[in-house]
Amino acid sequence: MVAEGCVPMRPEDDPSWASYARTILEFRGTEPVRVDLARPIGPRAQAAFLAAGLPGCFGLVTPENPRGTRADPEANARRWHQFRQALPGTAVPVDGLDPDSAHRERGVGLGWPRSRVLALARQWEQSAIYWFDGHAMWVIGALTRTVPWRLGGGT
């Protein structure tokens, strides 16, 4: 886990920054649902969010791969275990995948205020979070200092 006084980042300090816009979210349930963040969030995706227990606004955060740098599987497994033990039962498991499914990061959706999700992300040394504002998904810098970035081709 992490540290107070973590050094702020720029988007170019995160080797995976550009891939955030191409992420596929996978909600595991009786029938897994995938949401492509390169596309606008439509009714099907919003229905998936609701079915998963994420109504309205929510944030997505992972403890894996701190500062956007891929960690070894054992380190990610340890981080995931510690992270999940510290979270309430209302956290919704949501995985982030590359479009080809070659890379997967475990994470959770949290219906918390954005400031609280960002604080958790900073605690786990995350560059950014995904934030759903009820209409669109955004990348919001946690350790990274940047303007919010709306995904899905919207403005």
Side-chain angles (χ1 to χ4, degrees):
M1 183 159 85
V2 167
E4 297 174 17
C6 235
V7 177
M9 300 173 63
R10 299 166 299 161
E12 56 271 22
D13 296 333
D14 178 340
S16 63
W17 189 261
S19 69
Y20 292 177
R22 297 186 310 271
T23 296
I24 308 292
L25 300 178
E26 185 176 82
F27 293 82
R28 290 174 267 135
T30 52
E31 295 204 20
V33 175
R34 289 188 171 191
V35 175
D36 183 349
L37 296 184
R39 305 173 71 70
I41 301 296
R44 182 176 178 275
Q46 290 187 18
F49 298 159
L50 284 170
L54 294 168
C57 301
F58 62 87
L60 301 170
V61 67
T62 178
E64 296 184 351
N65 303 316
R67 302 178 79 78
T69 302
R70 293 217 177 148
D72 66 73
E74 295 80 22
N76 277 335
R78 278 190 306 277
R79 290 175 69 84
W80 177 250
H81 180 72
Q82 292 170 341
F83 179 77
R84 287 298 290 154
Q85 284 194 320
L87 287 177
T90 57
V92 175
V94 181
D95 291 349
L97 294 82
D98 286 341
D100 63 3
S101 299
H103 174 70
R104 175 182 295 264
E105 272 187 47
R106 293 170 292 191
V108 296
L110 299 163
W112 297 354
R114 189 169 81 178
S115 60
R116 189 170 169 206
V117 177
L118 283 166
L120 181 67
R122 287 183 195 107
Q123 179 182 357
W124 287 91
E125 294 183 279
Q126 296 302 307
S127 302
I129 64 166
Y130 289 108
W131 181 257
F132 184 67
D133 67 4
H135 305 287
M137 192 68 74
W138 297 78
V139 174
I140 308 288
L143 291 179
T144 303
R145 299 232 170 112
T146 186
V147 296
W149 172 20
R150 183 178 173 151
L151 301 178
T155 56

